[in-house]
Amino acid sequence: MITIIEVRNLIKRFGHKQVLRKLNFSVQQGEFVALLGSNGAGKTTLLRTLSSLSKPNYGEIQIAGYYLPGQSAQVRKKLGVVSHLPLLYGDLNAEENLKFYGRLYGLSDFQNHIEEILQLVGLLKRKKDLVRTFSRGMQQRLAIGRAIIHDPEVLLLDEPHTGLDQDAANMLDTLLQEIASRGRTVVMTSHDFPRVANLATRFDVLYKGIIHSSKFAKDLPQHGLLAYYQSIVDEIDAGGENQDAA
Amino acid sequence: MQPKTSFFKAMFAVVWKDLIAELRGKELISAMLVFALLVIFIFNFALELDPKTRSALTAGILWVTIIFAGNLGLNRSMAVEKDRGCLDGLLLAPVDRTAIYFGKSIANWIFMLIVAMIVLPIYSILYNTNIISPALLLVILLGSEGYVAIGTLLASMAVQARTRDILLPILLFPVILPVLIAAVKASAGILSGFPFSDLQTWFNLLIVYDIIFTSVAFMVFDSVVEE
Ligand SMILES: Nc1ncnc2c1ncn2[C@@H]1O[C@H](COP(=O)(O)OP(=O)(O)O)[C@@H](O)[C@H]1O
Ligand SMILES: [Mg+2]
């Protein structure tokens, strides 16, 4: 197995507030990791730090063989990022948005490739429509198209299900499964436990700035994800004083 | 791929994107233009100038117009990126981030020059004096370069704050003062028909500031945008 993400002793502060507190996190190539945690746990901060949008205060981060923050451009080349905002331009149509990102990623002769991506995310027929006329679900699918345009080895997704209706969320899941089946590594945060339970191969609980527990899907009893998560959180809360002192 | 080609590719991608988005909406240029024309009209009516005093003030009015309209443009150009999260999309590009900075600057520069190119003839027609000359165009080219160079950097700082609309001019105007003075002096000299040799100092000052501002932005942009 190849370790594709390795995070050691990561500390991230905003002002005096320590959001990530010596966090350790390791992902093997091809894993689909779900990051579970309550609001404010630090999930977004971790993903933003991994994607070099946020600078760590302390700690070591290695992604696909490159270090952050020193080799951030090389790291970014290996990453596809989907955040809760679509990162798309409303005044450009779907095709133009992908063309723009294709150029940002240094691709050339990408016309066919863009058509393939549009096909994959089910927006080929709408390629000439301005993105601001798209529904949230369509924007989210195009956002995924945007994130995989350079065929990244690692896909980071921050709550991609938020704001999607059932159909759109189902389409998203199918898309994610398709990407994972191509051997890509995925790290995703989500509050949608039933969906995550069907997608991920590993579940990590991020709570109060540390990853406390990690469990493989095969070791989890059926419908056991919520119970597992709750038991971890309860355990931490019970020992809460030690945690806060640390 | 060579890092250099990907740098320029990303830079021109940003310029291309800003230009076609602007061609669609025309929001930025029309906002800047309406504002610029209002400034010119207001000066005209508020000051009730006779032709002689007006010609003495032309350079000042022109640059006040350019500076304020430019401020509007800089704010909006960054707000578009920030409000829909697109700035993150730009910063995720696998290139040195100064490519993004230069792309945004060049686009802003083009918008400012377009506005200036529309304002100059209108001013000329309105006051029945031709103020357009190659030398004045050169001053506008140099003055607005310095302005967008530091303005794009400060706009990307200000856009993080809730009070960005007011923050940008507060940060930008004091810094831009030397460029403004040099540009006004050079423009006034040109409009009064002074020979180029008399204005050499002001041109030199403009060029020096353009280089300083561009280099500073080049060095600090990355640390400004990373949280
Ligand atoms: N840019 C920021 N500046 C200051 N505080 C922040 C910033 N981003 C996140 N935080 C704080 O960090 C904590 C973790 O936030 P976040 O990573 O968004 O949590 P999650 O995504 O797990 O809900 C929160 O308390 C939040 O207020
Ligand atoms: Mg979050």
Side-chain angles (χ1 to χ4, degrees):
Chain A
M1 288 248 262
I2 302 164
T3 305
I4 197 149
I5 301 178
E6 183 73 64
V7 177
R8 289 223 189 118
N9 298 323
L10 174 61
I11 293 179
K12 176 67 191 177
R13 283 184 223 107
F14 290 109
H16 289 298
K17 191 182 164 105
Q18 192 157 320
V19 175
L20 301 178
R21 313 192 294 176
K22 286 212 167 185
L23 177 142
N24 292 300
F25 182 54
S26 170
V27 179
Q28 309 300 313
Q29 192 165 43
E31 276 192 298
F32 194 133
V33 179
L35 278 177
L36 311 173
S38 52
N39 283 328
K43 304 180 297 297
T44 300
T45 305
L46 175 59
L47 292 189
R48 288 181 65 82
T49 311
L50 293 180
S51 48
S52 84
L53 292 171
S54 196
K55 233 192 198 104
N57 294 102
Y58 180 85
E60 252 178 52
I61 303 175
Q62 196 182 1
I63 297 176
Y66 296 103
Y67 288 93
L68 280 180
Q71 298 169 301
S72 65
Q74 285 96 322
V75 167
R76 290 196 287 272
K77 205 179 189 80
K78 306 283 183 186
L79 291 183
V81 178
V82 177
S83 79
H84 50 274
L85 290 168
L87 316 191
L88 298 166
Y89 293 93
D91 279 339
L92 304 189
N93 65 35
E95 190 182 27
E96 287 164 344
N97 266 288
L98 292 185
K99 258 190 199 164
F100 169 59
Y101 279 103
R103 288 183 179 141
L104 270 189
Y105 281 88
L107 309 181
S108 40
D109 296 327
F110 46 58
Q111 192 54 43
N112 287 338
H113 181 55
I114 285 178
E115 305 261 320
E116 278 167 26
I117 299 249
L118 286 166
Q119 178 80 45
L120 181 69
V121 299
L123 290 170
L124 194 53
K125 287 204 178 100
R126 302 288 306 264
K127 68 176 181 178
K128 295 290 181 195
D129 293 348
L130 293 190
V131 164
R132 69 167 121 90
T133 67
F134 282 13
S135 70
R136 161 98 182 126
M138 290 161 71
Q139 292 202 14
Q140 192 67 318
R141 275 185 281 140
L142 189 59
I144 294 193
R146 184 214 81 227
I148 59 172
I149 191 146
H150 55 302
D151 198 13
E153 287 186 35
V154 181
L155 199 57
L156 305 175
L157 305 114
D158 196 4
E159 298 188 22
H161 294 106
T162 305
L164 298 188
D165 61 32
Q166 287 297 322
D167 282 349
N170 288 339
M171 271 172 113
L172 178 66
D173 287 355
T174 313
L175 194 57
L176 290 176
Q177 268 158 346
E178 159 83 24
I179 291 165
S181 74
R182 297 177 179 185
R184 299 300 173 220
T185 310
V186 183
V187 177
M188 178 173 92
T189 74
S190 182
H191 289 297
D192 194 332
F193 279 69
R195 286 192 184 281
V196 172
N198 282 327
L199 286 169
T201 59
R202 202 184 100 192
F203 305 94
D204 285 17
V205 179
L206 173 57
Y207 196 61
K208 294 184 179 172
I210 300 179
I211 292 180
H212 291 271
S213 173
S214 182
K215 213 169 183 82
F216 291 109
K218 60 179 167 52
D219 301 329
L220 217 59
Q222 247 207 325
H223 307 297
L225 186 57
L226 190 58
Y228 156 69
Y229 171 74
Q230 206 54 54
S231 70
I232 300 291
V233 168
D234 289 346
E235 203 174 296
I236 302 163
D237 283 341
E241 273 164 54
N242 300 337
Q243 283 300 329
D244 287 336
Chain B
M1 191 170 41
Q2 293 293 313
K4 241 188 208 150
T5 35
S6 55
F7 184 95
F8 286 109
K9 213 166 190 168
M11 184 179 90
F12 286 119
V14 174
V15 178
W16 171 82
K17 183 270 296 174
D18 271 5
L19 291 184
I20 56 167
E22 183 58 27
L23 270 175
R24 287 272 152 67
K26 299 189 186 66
E27 284 173 31
L28 205 87
I29 289 190
S30 50
M32 286 165 80
L33 202 58
V34 167
F35 188 79
L37 295 177
L38 283 176
V39 172
I40 292 177
F41 280 116
I42 297 284
F43 266 113
N44 181 41
F45 290 112
L47 302 178
E48 283 190 59
L49 302 171
D50 59 275
K52 198 161 161 285
T53 19
R54 190 197 308 128
S55 74
L57 290 179
T58 297
I61 295 177
L62 207 58
W63 277 99
V64 168
T65 310
I66 291 177
I67 294 287
F68 278 97
N71 179 66
L72 201 67
L74 288 169
N75 245 334
R76 293 196 65 144
S77 140
M78 268 304 161
V80 166
E81 304 291 354
K82 186 70 184 176
D83 292 346
R84 312 190 84 239
C86 293
L87 188 56
D88 285 347
L90 298 181
L91 299 178
L92 284 169
V95 289
D96 190 301
R97 279 168 178 163
T98 43
I100 307 301
Y101 161 78
F102 280 118
K104 287 303 283 184
S105 302
I106 291 171
N108 288 334
W109 196 21
I110 293 174
F111 295 145
M112 266 188 96
L113 291 176
I114 291 174
V115 170
M117 290 314 110
I118 301 173
V119 165
L120 286 184
I122 290 179
Y123 193 99
S124 299
I125 293 167
L126 207 63
Y127 298 114
N128 203 20
T129 50
N130 182 20
I131 59 168
I132 303 169
S133 69
L136 186 68
L137 294 183
L138 183 62
V139 179
I140 290 178
L141 208 62
L142 291 174
S144 55
E145 201 284 332
Y147 186 73
V148 295
I150 201 72
T152 304
L153 176 74
L154 294 176
S156 50
M157 279 167 81
V159 80
Q160 317 279 353
R162 256 179 306 122
T163 51
R164 64 188 178 206
D165 290 335
I166 189 68
L167 190 59
L168 178 62
I170 289 175
L171 293 173
L172 180 53
F173 290 173
V175 180
I176 204 68
L177 221 48
V179 171
L180 180 64
I181 292 168
V184 170
K185 293 283 186 196
S187 309
I190 290 161
L191 293 173
S192 316
F194 291 171
F196 186 74
S197 52
D198 287 6
L199 305 169
Q200 187 73 46
T201 324
W202 300 118
F203 275 94
N204 289 346
L205 199 62
L206 279 175
I207 291 168
V208 167
Y209 266 95
D210 285 359
I211 294 170
I212 292 175
F213 283 164
T214 308
S215 325
V216 167
F218 180 79
M219 287 184 287
V220 305
F221 181 74
D222 202 357
S223 53
V224 161
V225 289
E226 211 166 69
E227 64 183 25

